[in-house]
Amino acid sequence: MKTRDRILVTSLELFNLCGEPNVTTIDIANEMEISPGNLYYHFRNKDEIIAELFQAFETSIHEVLQSPAEAGLDMMDYWMYVHMIFEKIWEFRFLYRDPVAILERNDKLQKKFNRILDKKRAAALGVINMMREDSLIQMSDDEADRLVTNMTITATYWLNYQHIRHMGSAMDPDDLGGGVHQVMSHIAPYLPPEGKEMLEAVAGTYLDGLSASE
């Protein structure tokens, strides 16, 4: 692996583990056992590293956020779609742990992150409209608008919530299942009784599977 790529991989690992504000370029160089000068040859400062990592995140999250287009999807399909989004967020979770600290320093990243939020919201609306068309849920357009906003907020801040709740403990990727459940739970009030049973059955199957693998 080239040094530039190693810097990005190591930076992502340290940012995710320690939080971006707590990691310096010296920390990255020491972790790699290279000189600071070698690191600065590839990146002039930490913000350049963050910008490149953000670009990788932006590309991958846009691919994942493509709303499922197949007709006749069931609750498990929608659950797994939301889970794939959470997996991508987990891969670049430092961006969600310290968003204000990172985005306040860079107007371009602010705009890009807001575009990702818009894309998340549009993807959620696409899913909700598909479920409405398939008669899985019933709601007005205004209710759908509020619902997708709440789903977007939950997906965006779940890892931050978990970090605060478990301060001092290492975050667990299994926490993603709880996040998916919280996002999907937003639709529960709009489901018919059989739909609610289906949602809880999917949640039980999925979360029990995670517990069994521990």
PDB file of all heavy atoms in Angstrom, residues 66-97:
ATOM      1  N   GLN A  66     -29.156   5.131  -2.819  1.00  0.00           N
ATOM      2  CA  GLN A  66     -30.089   4.921  -3.918  1.00  0.00           C
ATOM      3  C   GLN A  66     -31.284   4.129  -3.399  1.00  0.00           C
ATOM      4  O   GLN A  66     -31.130   2.996  -2.939  1.00  0.00           O
ATOM      5  CB  GLN A  66     -29.406   4.165  -5.064  1.00  0.00           C
ATOM      6  CG  GLN A  66     -28.242   4.902  -5.691  1.00  0.00           C
ATOM      7  CD  GLN A  66     -28.646   6.251  -6.274  1.00  0.00           C
ATOM      8  OE1 GLN A  66     -29.692   6.382  -6.891  1.00  0.00           O
ATOM      9  NE2 GLN A  66     -27.803   7.256  -6.072  1.00  0.00           N
ATOM     10  N   SER A  67     -32.468   4.700  -3.452  1.00  0.00           N
ATOM     11  CA  SER A  67     -33.655   4.037  -2.915  1.00  0.00           C
ATOM     12  C   SER A  67     -33.922   2.742  -3.661  1.00  0.00           C
ATOM     13  O   SER A  67     -33.770   2.678  -4.883  1.00  0.00           O
ATOM     14  CB  SER A  67     -34.883   4.946  -3.038  1.00  0.00           C
ATOM     15  OG  SER A  67     -34.725   6.105  -2.269  1.00  0.00           O
ATOM     16  N   PRO A  68     -34.316   1.685  -2.946  1.00  0.00           N
ATOM     17  CA  PRO A  68     -34.655   0.429  -3.625  1.00  0.00           C
ATOM     18  C   PRO A  68     -35.817   0.652  -4.579  1.00  0.00           C
ATOM     19  O   PRO A  68     -36.807   1.291  -4.232  1.00  0.00           O
ATOM     20  CB  PRO A  68     -35.043  -0.510  -2.464  1.00  0.00           C
ATOM     21  CG  PRO A  68     -35.379   0.397  -1.327  1.00  0.00           C
ATOM     22  CD  PRO A  68     -34.535   1.619  -1.494  1.00  0.00           C
ATOM     23  N   ALA A  69     -35.677   0.149  -5.794  1.00  0.00           N
ATOM     24  CA  ALA A  69     -36.684   0.406  -6.831  1.00  0.00           C
ATOM     25  C   ALA A  69     -37.552  -0.804  -7.139  1.00  0.00           C
ATOM     26  O   ALA A  69     -38.530  -0.701  -7.867  1.00  0.00           O
ATOM     27  CB  ALA A  69     -35.985   0.882  -8.114  1.00  0.00           C
ATOM     28  N   GLU A  70     -37.200  -1.971  -6.591  1.00  0.00           N
ATOM     29  CA  GLU A  70     -37.964  -3.172  -6.901  1.00  0.00           C
ATOM     30  C   GLU A  70     -39.344  -3.121  -6.267  1.00  0.00           C
ATOM     31  O   GLU A  70     -39.516  -2.623  -5.156  1.00  0.00           O
ATOM     32  CB  GLU A  70     -37.231  -4.434  -6.411  1.00  0.00           C
ATOM     33  CG  GLU A  70     -35.838  -4.635  -6.996  1.00  0.00           C
ATOM     34  CD  GLU A  70     -34.763  -3.899  -6.214  1.00  0.00           C
ATOM     35  OE1 GLU A  70     -35.138  -3.108  -5.313  1.00  0.00           O
ATOM     36  OE2 GLU A  70     -33.572  -4.073  -6.502  1.00  0.00           O
ATOM     37  N   ALA A  71     -40.327  -3.625  -6.988  1.00  0.00           N
ATOM     38  CA  ALA A  71     -41.689  -3.685  -6.453  1.00  0.00           C
ATOM     39  C   ALA A  71     -41.829  -4.908  -5.554  1.00  0.00           C
ATOM     40  O   ALA A  71     -41.103  -5.890  -5.685  1.00  0.00           O
ATOM     41  CB  ALA A  71     -42.701  -3.752  -7.595  1.00  0.00           C
ATOM     42  N   GLY A  72     -42.762  -4.829  -4.621  1.00  0.00           N
ATOM     43  CA  GLY A  72     -43.082  -5.989  -3.794  1.00  0.00           C
ATOM     44  C   GLY A  72     -42.069  -6.304  -2.721  1.00  0.00           C
ATOM     45  O   GLY A  72     -41.971  -7.456  -2.283  1.00  0.00           O
ATOM     46  N   LEU A  73     -41.311  -5.301  -2.256  1.00  0.00           N
ATOM     47  CA  LEU A  73     -40.347  -5.547  -1.185  1.00  0.00           C
ATOM     48  C   LEU A  73     -41.083  -5.770   0.130  1.00  0.00           C
ATOM     49  O   LEU A  73     -42.159  -5.220   0.365  1.00  0.00           O
ATOM     50  CB  LEU A  73     -39.392  -4.363  -1.046  1.00  0.00           C
ATOM     51  CG  LEU A  73     -38.499  -4.058  -2.254  1.00  0.00           C
ATOM     52  CD1 LEU A  73     -37.648  -2.829  -1.972  1.00  0.00           C
ATOM     53  CD2 LEU A  73     -37.618  -5.234  -2.595  1.00  0.00           C
ATOM     54  N   ASP A  74     -40.488  -6.587   1.009  1.00  0.00           N
ATOM     55  CA  ASP A  74     -41.114  -6.815   2.306  1.00  0.00           C
ATOM     56  C   ASP A  74     -40.360  -6.058   3.394  1.00  0.00           C
ATOM     57  O   ASP A  74     -39.386  -5.357   3.130  1.00  0.00           O
ATOM     58  CB  ASP A  74     -41.205  -8.310   2.626  1.00  0.00           C
ATOM     59  CG  ASP A  74     -39.836  -8.999   2.682  1.00  0.00           C
ATOM     60  OD1 ASP A  74     -38.816  -8.299   2.896  1.00  0.00           O
ATOM     61  OD2 ASP A  74     -39.790 -10.224   2.511  1.00  0.00           O
ATOM     62  N   MET A  75     -40.814  -6.220   4.637  1.00  0.00           N
ATOM     63  CA  MET A  75     -40.253  -5.456   5.747  1.00  0.00           C
ATOM     64  C   MET A  75     -38.775  -5.756   5.958  1.00  0.00           C
ATOM     65  O   MET A  75     -37.993  -4.862   6.300  1.00  0.00           O
ATOM     66  CB  MET A  75     -41.042  -5.751   7.024  1.00  0.00           C
ATOM     67  CG  MET A  75     -40.883  -4.694   8.098  1.00  0.00           C
ATOM     68  SD  MET A  75     -41.564  -3.088   7.620  1.00  0.00           S
ATOM     69  CE  MET A  75     -43.341  -3.450   7.676  1.00  0.00           C
ATOM     70  N   MET A  76     -38.364  -6.997   5.756  1.00  0.00           N
ATOM     71  CA  MET A  76     -36.960  -7.352   5.906  1.00  0.00           C
ATOM     72  C   MET A  76     -36.095  -6.628   4.874  1.00  0.00           C
ATOM     73  O   MET A  76     -34.980  -6.193   5.180  1.00  0.00           O
ATOM     74  CB  MET A  76     -36.769  -8.865   5.787  1.00  0.00           C
ATOM     75  CG  MET A  76     -35.307  -9.321   5.889  1.00  0.00           C
ATOM     76  SD  MET A  76     -34.529  -8.888   7.477  1.00  0.00           S
ATOM     77  CE  MET A  76     -35.075 -10.283   8.488  1.00  0.00           C
ATOM     78  N   ASP A  77     -36.603  -6.498   3.650  1.00  0.00           N
ATOM     79  CA  ASP A  77     -35.861  -5.775   2.619  1.00  0.00           C
ATOM     80  C   ASP A  77     -35.614  -4.325   3.037  1.00  0.00           C
ATOM     81  O   ASP A  77     -34.508  -3.798   2.889  1.00  0.00           O
ATOM     82  CB  ASP A  77     -36.622  -5.794   1.291  1.00  0.00           C
ATOM     83  CG  ASP A  77     -36.741  -7.195   0.704  1.00  0.00           C
ATOM     84  OD1 ASP A  77     -35.750  -7.932   0.759  1.00  0.00           O
ATOM     85  OD2 ASP A  77     -37.826  -7.524   0.198  1.00  0.00           O
ATOM     86  N   TYR A  78     -36.650  -3.674   3.551  1.00  0.00           N
ATOM     87  CA  TYR A  78     -36.502  -2.291   3.982  1.00  0.00           C
ATOM     88  C   TYR A  78     -35.569  -2.188   5.182  1.00  0.00           C
ATOM     89  O   TYR A  78     -34.769  -1.254   5.294  1.00  0.00           O
ATOM     90  CB  TYR A  78     -37.872  -1.699   4.323  1.00  0.00           C
ATOM     91  CG  TYR A  78     -38.743  -1.480   3.102  1.00  0.00           C
ATOM     92  CD1 TYR A  78     -39.953  -2.150   2.946  1.00  0.00           C
ATOM     93  CD2 TYR A  78     -38.352  -0.599   2.096  1.00  0.00           C
ATOM     94  CE1 TYR A  78     -40.743  -1.947   1.827  1.00  0.00           C
ATOM     95  CE2 TYR A  78     -39.137  -0.394   0.970  1.00  0.00           C
ATOM     96  CZ  TYR A  78     -40.340  -1.071   0.845  1.00  0.00           C
ATOM     97  OH  TYR A  78     -41.113  -0.869  -0.269  1.00  0.00           O
ATOM     98  N   TRP A  79     -35.682  -3.155   6.101  1.00  0.00           N
ATOM     99  CA  TRP A  79     -34.794  -3.178   7.270  1.00  0.00           C
ATOM    100  C   TRP A  79     -33.333  -3.259   6.827  1.00  0.00           C
ATOM    101  O   TRP A  79     -32.483  -2.514   7.317  1.00  0.00           O
ATOM    102  CB  TRP A  79     -35.158  -4.360   8.164  1.00  0.00           C
ATOM    103  CG  TRP A  79     -34.330  -4.475   9.422  1.00  0.00           C
ATOM    104  CD1 TRP A  79     -33.025  -4.876   9.517  1.00  0.00           C
ATOM    105  CD2 TRP A  79     -34.747  -4.163  10.754  1.00  0.00           C
ATOM    106  NE1 TRP A  79     -32.616  -4.846  10.829  1.00  0.00           N
ATOM    107  CE2 TRP A  79     -33.642  -4.407  11.609  1.00  0.00           C
ATOM    108  CE3 TRP A  79     -35.947  -3.720  11.312  1.00  0.00           C
ATOM    109  CZ2 TRP A  79     -33.718  -4.218  12.985  1.00  0.00           C
ATOM    110  CZ3 TRP A  79     -36.005  -3.530  12.689  1.00  0.00           C
ATOM    111  CH2 TRP A  79     -34.900  -3.776  13.506  1.00  0.00           C
ATOM    112  N   MET A  80     -33.039  -4.153   5.911  1.00  0.00           N
ATOM    113  CA  MET A  80     -31.660  -4.336   5.465  1.00  0.00           C
ATOM    114  C   MET A  80     -31.150  -3.133   4.687  1.00  0.00           C
ATOM    115  O   MET A  80     -29.953  -2.810   4.740  1.00  0.00           O
ATOM    116  CB  MET A  80     -31.552  -5.614   4.619  1.00  0.00           C
ATOM    117  CG  MET A  80     -31.817  -6.899   5.388  1.00  0.00           C
ATOM    118  SD  MET A  80     -30.852  -7.029   6.934  1.00  0.00           S
ATOM    119  CE  MET A  80     -29.170  -6.988   6.303  1.00  0.00           C
ATOM    120  N   TYR A  81     -32.046  -2.458   3.978  1.00  0.00           N
ATOM    121  CA  TYR A  81     -31.652  -1.240   3.270  1.00  0.00           C
ATOM    122  C   TYR A  81     -31.184  -0.184   4.282  1.00  0.00           C
ATOM    123  O   TYR A  81     -30.119   0.438   4.104  1.00  0.00           O
ATOM    124  CB  TYR A  81     -32.824  -0.714   2.452  1.00  0.00           C
ATOM    125  CG  TYR A  81     -32.604   0.670   1.885  1.00  0.00           C
ATOM    126  CD1 TYR A  81     -31.666   0.897   0.886  1.00  0.00           C
ATOM    127  CD2 TYR A  81     -33.341   1.762   2.359  1.00  0.00           C
ATOM    128  CE1 TYR A  81     -31.457   2.166   0.373  1.00  0.00           C
ATOM    129  CE2 TYR A  81     -33.148   3.028   1.853  1.00  0.00           C
ATOM    130  CZ  TYR A  81     -32.210   3.230   0.858  1.00  0.00           C
ATOM    131  OH  TYR A  81     -31.999   4.485   0.357  1.00  0.00           O
ATOM    132  N   VAL A  82     -31.961   0.010   5.346  1.00  0.00           N
ATOM    133  CA  VAL A  82     -31.571   0.974   6.373  1.00  0.00           C
ATOM    134  C   VAL A  82     -30.270   0.527   7.050  1.00  0.00           C
ATOM    135  O   VAL A  82     -29.393   1.345   7.350  1.00  0.00           O
ATOM    136  CB  VAL A  82     -32.696   1.146   7.419  1.00  0.00           C
ATOM    137  CG1 VAL A  82     -32.246   2.058   8.556  1.00  0.00           C
ATOM    138  CG2 VAL A  82     -33.950   1.701   6.764  1.00  0.00           C
ATOM    139  N   HIS A  83     -30.121  -0.779   7.252  1.00  0.00           N
ATOM    140  CA  HIS A  83     -28.905  -1.280   7.889  1.00  0.00           C
ATOM    141  C   HIS A  83     -27.676  -0.992   7.033  1.00  0.00           C
ATOM    142  O   HIS A  83     -26.603  -0.655   7.574  1.00  0.00           O
ATOM    143  CB  HIS A  83     -29.000  -2.781   8.145  1.00  0.00           C
ATOM    144  CG  HIS A  83     -27.889  -3.307   9.008  1.00  0.00           C
ATOM    145  ND1 HIS A  83     -26.699  -3.786   8.494  1.00  0.00           N
ATOM    146  CD2 HIS A  83     -27.763  -3.379  10.361  1.00  0.00           C
ATOM    147  CE1 HIS A  83     -25.907  -4.147   9.484  1.00  0.00           C
ATOM    148  NE2 HIS A  83     -26.524  -3.910  10.617  1.00  0.00           N
ATOM    149  N   MET A  84     -27.786  -1.092   5.722  1.00  0.00           N
ATOM    150  CA  MET A  84     -26.640  -0.791   4.853  1.00  0.00           C
ATOM    151  C   MET A  84     -26.221   0.668   4.996  1.00  0.00           C
ATOM    152  O   MET A  84     -25.032   0.988   4.945  1.00  0.00           O
ATOM    153  CB  MET A  84     -26.980  -1.118   3.401  1.00  0.00           C
ATOM    154  CG  MET A  84     -27.014  -2.596   3.090  1.00  0.00           C
ATOM    155  SD  MET A  84     -27.101  -2.946   1.305  1.00  0.00           S
ATOM    156  CE  MET A  84     -28.676  -2.200   0.887  1.00  0.00           C
ATOM    157  N   ILE A  85     -27.193   1.560   5.171  1.00  0.00           N
ATOM    158  CA  ILE A  85     -26.870   2.970   5.377  1.00  0.00           C
ATOM    159  C   ILE A  85     -26.110   3.137   6.691  1.00  0.00           C
ATOM    160  O   ILE A  85     -25.098   3.841   6.762  1.00  0.00           O
ATOM    161  CB  ILE A  85     -28.159   3.817   5.377  1.00  0.00           C
ATOM    162  CG1 ILE A  85     -28.821   3.764   3.994  1.00  0.00           C
ATOM    163  CG2 ILE A  85     -27.853   5.264   5.783  1.00  0.00           C
ATOM    164  CD1 ILE A  85     -30.186   4.408   3.943  1.00  0.00           C
ATOM    165  N   PHE A  86     -26.572   2.460   7.731  1.00  0.00           N
ATOM    166  CA  PHE A  86     -25.896   2.540   9.031  1.00  0.00           C
ATOM    167  C   PHE A  86     -24.478   1.962   8.947  1.00  0.00           C
ATOM    168  O   PHE A  86     -23.557   2.468   9.615  1.00  0.00           O
ATOM    169  CB  PHE A  86     -26.703   1.802  10.098  1.00  0.00           C
ATOM    170  CG  PHE A  86     -27.654   2.684  10.849  1.00  0.00           C
ATOM    171  CD1 PHE A  86     -28.922   2.941  10.352  1.00  0.00           C
ATOM    172  CD2 PHE A  86     -27.294   3.267  12.044  1.00  0.00           C
ATOM    173  CE1 PHE A  86     -29.809   3.755  11.040  1.00  0.00           C
ATOM    174  CE2 PHE A  86     -28.167   4.087  12.750  1.00  0.00           C
ATOM    175  CZ  PHE A  86     -29.434   4.336  12.235  1.00  0.00           C
ATOM    176  N   GLU A  87     -24.289   0.926   8.186  1.00  0.00           N
ATOM    177  CA  GLU A  87     -22.948   0.348   8.044  1.00  0.00           C
ATOM    178  C   GLU A  87     -21.985   1.362   7.434  1.00  0.00           C
ATOM    179  O   GLU A  87     -20.813   1.443   7.835  1.00  0.00           O
ATOM    180  CB  GLU A  87     -23.006  -0.912   7.176  1.00  0.00           C
ATOM    181  CG  GLU A  87     -23.563  -2.129   7.892  1.00  0.00           C
ATOM    182  CD  GLU A  87     -23.533  -3.370   7.018  1.00  0.00           C
ATOM    183  OE1 GLU A  87     -23.577  -3.229   5.777  1.00  0.00           O
ATOM    184  OE2 GLU A  87     -23.475  -4.484   7.574  1.00  0.00           O
ATOM    185  N   LYS A  88     -22.457   2.116   6.447  1.00  0.00           N
ATOM    186  CA  LYS A  88     -21.592   3.113   5.820  1.00  0.00           C
ATOM    187  C   LYS A  88     -21.303   4.255   6.793  1.00  0.00           C
ATOM    188  O   LYS A  88     -20.170   4.770   6.841  1.00  0.00           O
ATOM    189  CB  LYS A  88     -22.249   3.639   4.545  1.00  0.00           C
ATOM    190  CG  LYS A  88     -21.326   4.453   3.666  1.00  0.00           C
ATOM    191  CD  LYS A  88     -20.055   3.696   3.329  1.00  0.00           C
ATOM    192  CE  LYS A  88     -20.326   2.398   2.559  1.00  0.00           C
ATOM    193  NZ  LYS A  88     -19.049   1.718   2.194  1.00  0.00           N
ATOM    194  N   ILE A  89     -22.309   4.655   7.561  1.00  0.00           N
ATOM    195  CA  ILE A  89     -22.088   5.681   8.586  1.00  0.00           C
ATOM    196  C   ILE A  89     -21.062   5.182   9.605  1.00  0.00           C
ATOM    197  O   ILE A  89     -20.175   5.934  10.030  1.00  0.00           O
ATOM    198  CB  ILE A  89     -23.419   6.039   9.271  1.00  0.00           C
ATOM    199  CG1 ILE A  89     -24.328   6.802   8.297  1.00  0.00           C
ATOM    200  CG2 ILE A  89     -23.176   6.866  10.533  1.00  0.00           C
ATOM    201  CD1 ILE A  89     -25.724   7.047   8.826  1.00  0.00           C
ATOM    202  N   TRP A  90     -21.168   3.901   9.994  1.00  0.00           N
ATOM    203  CA  TRP A  90     -20.225   3.335  10.961  1.00  0.00           C
ATOM    204  C   TRP A  90     -18.801   3.361  10.417  1.00  0.00           C
ATOM    205  O   TRP A  90     -17.848   3.644  11.159  1.00  0.00           O
ATOM    206  CB  TRP A  90     -20.634   1.903  11.292  1.00  0.00           C
ATOM    207  CG  TRP A  90     -19.656   1.189  12.204  1.00  0.00           C
ATOM    208  CD1 TRP A  90     -18.677   0.313  11.838  1.00  0.00           C
ATOM    209  CD2 TRP A  90     -19.560   1.320  13.625  1.00  0.00           C
ATOM    210  NE1 TRP A  90     -17.985  -0.112  12.942  1.00  0.00           N
ATOM    211  CE2 TRP A  90     -18.504   0.497  14.043  1.00  0.00           C
ATOM    212  CE3 TRP A  90     -20.277   2.054  14.568  1.00  0.00           C
ATOM    213  CZ2 TRP A  90     -18.147   0.382  15.386  1.00  0.00           C
ATOM    214  CZ3 TRP A  90     -19.909   1.937  15.903  1.00  0.00           C
ATOM    215  CH2 TRP A  90     -18.847   1.105  16.299  1.00  0.00           C
ATOM    216  N   GLU A  91     -18.635   3.106   9.139  1.00  0.00           N
ATOM    217  CA  GLU A  91     -17.300   3.075   8.537  1.00  0.00           C
ATOM    218  C   GLU A  91     -16.618   4.437   8.661  1.00  0.00           C
ATOM    219  O   GLU A  91     -15.396   4.508   8.831  1.00  0.00           O
ATOM    220  CB  GLU A  91     -17.409   2.667   7.064  1.00  0.00           C
ATOM    221  CG  GLU A  91     -16.072   2.505   6.374  1.00  0.00           C
ATOM    222  CD  GLU A  91     -16.217   2.078   4.917  1.00  0.00           C
ATOM    223  OE1 GLU A  91     -17.330   1.687   4.508  1.00  0.00           O
ATOM    224  OE2 GLU A  91     -15.202   2.142   4.188  1.00  0.00           O
ATOM    225  N   PHE A  92     -17.396   5.518   8.586  1.00  0.00           N
ATOM    226  CA  PHE A  92     -16.852   6.880   8.696  1.00  0.00           C
ATOM    227  C   PHE A  92     -17.467   7.590   9.900  1.00  0.00           C
ATOM    228  O   PHE A  92     -17.795   8.775   9.835  1.00  0.00           O
ATOM    229  CB  PHE A  92     -17.149   7.666   7.415  1.00  0.00           C
ATOM    230  CG  PHE A  92     -16.438   7.154   6.194  1.00  0.00           C
ATOM    231  CD1 PHE A  92     -17.012   6.163   5.409  1.00  0.00           C
ATOM    232  CD2 PHE A  92     -15.201   7.657   5.833  1.00  0.00           C
ATOM    233  CE1 PHE A  92     -16.359   5.688   4.282  1.00  0.00           C
ATOM    234  CE2 PHE A  92     -14.545   7.194   4.702  1.00  0.00           C
ATOM    235  CZ  PHE A  92     -15.119   6.193   3.929  1.00  0.00           C
ATOM    236  N   ARG A  93     -17.578   6.877  11.006  1.00  0.00           N
ATOM    237  CA  ARG A  93     -18.345   7.388  12.140  1.00  0.00           C
ATOM    238  C   ARG A  93     -17.746   8.620  12.782  1.00  0.00           C
ATOM    239  O   ARG A  93     -18.447   9.345  13.492  1.00  0.00           O
ATOM    240  CB  ARG A  93     -18.544   6.291  13.189  1.00  0.00           C
ATOM    241  CG  ARG A  93     -17.276   5.675  13.749  1.00  0.00           C
ATOM    242  CD  ARG A  93     -17.627   4.418  14.552  1.00  0.00           C
ATOM    243  NE  ARG A  93     -16.448   3.718  15.041  1.00  0.00           N
ATOM    244  CZ  ARG A  93     -15.737   2.847  14.304  1.00  0.00           C
ATOM    245  NH1 ARG A  93     -16.078   2.592  13.057  1.00  0.00           N
ATOM    246  NH2 ARG A  93     -14.693   2.232  14.825  1.00  0.00           N
ATOM    247  N   PHE A  94     -16.474   8.908  12.579  1.00  0.00           N
ATOM    248  CA  PHE A  94     -15.897  10.111  13.177  1.00  0.00           C
ATOM    249  C   PHE A  94     -16.610  11.364  12.681  1.00  0.00           C
ATOM    250  O   PHE A  94     -16.708  12.364  13.401  1.00  0.00           O
ATOM    251  CB  PHE A  94     -14.385  10.191  12.894  1.00  0.00           C
ATOM    252  CG  PHE A  94     -14.016  10.695  11.524  1.00  0.00           C
ATOM    253  CD1 PHE A  94     -13.744  12.042  11.310  1.00  0.00           C
ATOM    254  CD2 PHE A  94     -13.931   9.821  10.447  1.00  0.00           C
ATOM    255  CE1 PHE A  94     -13.384  12.508  10.052  1.00  0.00           C
ATOM    256  CE2 PHE A  94     -13.577  10.274   9.191  1.00  0.00           C
ATOM    257  CZ  PHE A  94     -13.302  11.621   8.985  1.00  0.00           C
ATOM    258  N   LEU A  95     -17.140  11.316  11.447  1.00  0.00           N
ATOM    259  CA  LEU A  95     -17.859  12.460  10.904  1.00  0.00           C
ATOM    260  C   LEU A  95     -19.164  12.708  11.648  1.00  0.00           C
ATOM    261  O   LEU A  95     -19.660  13.833  11.706  1.00  0.00           O
ATOM    262  CB  LEU A  95     -18.165  12.234   9.419  1.00  0.00           C
ATOM    263  CG  LEU A  95     -16.961  12.183   8.479  1.00  0.00           C
ATOM    264  CD1 LEU A  95     -17.383  11.687   7.102  1.00  0.00           C
ATOM    265  CD2 LEU A  95     -16.300  13.559   8.386  1.00  0.00           C
ATOM    266  N   TYR A  96     -19.719  11.636  12.229  1.00  0.00           N
ATOM    267  CA  TYR A  96     -20.985  11.738  12.946  1.00  0.00           C
ATOM    268  C   TYR A  96     -20.774  11.927  14.448  1.00  0.00           C
ATOM    269  O   TYR A  96     -21.689  12.341  15.148  1.00  0.00           O
ATOM    270  CB  TYR A  96     -21.831  10.486  12.688  1.00  0.00           C
ATOM    271  CG  TYR A  96     -22.400  10.476  11.299  1.00  0.00           C
ATOM    272  CD1 TYR A  96     -21.631  10.096  10.209  1.00  0.00           C
ATOM    273  CD2 TYR A  96     -23.712  10.874  11.069  1.00  0.00           C
ATOM    274  CE1 TYR A  96     -22.147  10.115   8.929  1.00  0.00           C
ATOM    275  CE2 TYR A  96     -24.240  10.886   9.786  1.00  0.00           C
ATOM    276  CZ  TYR A  96     -23.449  10.509   8.716  1.00  0.00           C
ATOM    277  OH  TYR A  96     -23.952  10.542   7.454  1.00  0.00           O
ATOM    278  N   ARG A  97     -19.592  11.624  14.909  1.00  0.00           N
ATOM    279  CA  ARG A  97     -19.293  11.819  16.337  1.00  0.00           C
ATOM    280  C   ARG A  97     -18.982  13.275  16.636  1.00  0.00           C
ATOM    281  O   ARG A  97     -19.379  13.809  17.673  1.00  0.00           O
ATOM    282  CB  ARG A  97     -18.109  10.944  16.731  1.00  0.00           C
ATOM    283  CG  ARG A  97     -17.623  11.161  18.154  1.00  0.00           C
ATOM    284  CD  ARG A  97     -16.520  10.187  18.528  1.00  0.00           C
ATOM    285  NE  ARG A  97     -15.856  10.560  19.763  1.00  0.00           N
ATOM    286  CZ  ARG A  97     -14.907   9.835  20.341  1.00  0.00           C
ATOM    287  NH1 ARG A  97     -14.512   8.699  19.795  1.00  0.00           N
ATOM    288  NH2 ARG A  97     -14.338  10.246  21.455  1.00  0.00           N
TER     289      ARG A  97
END
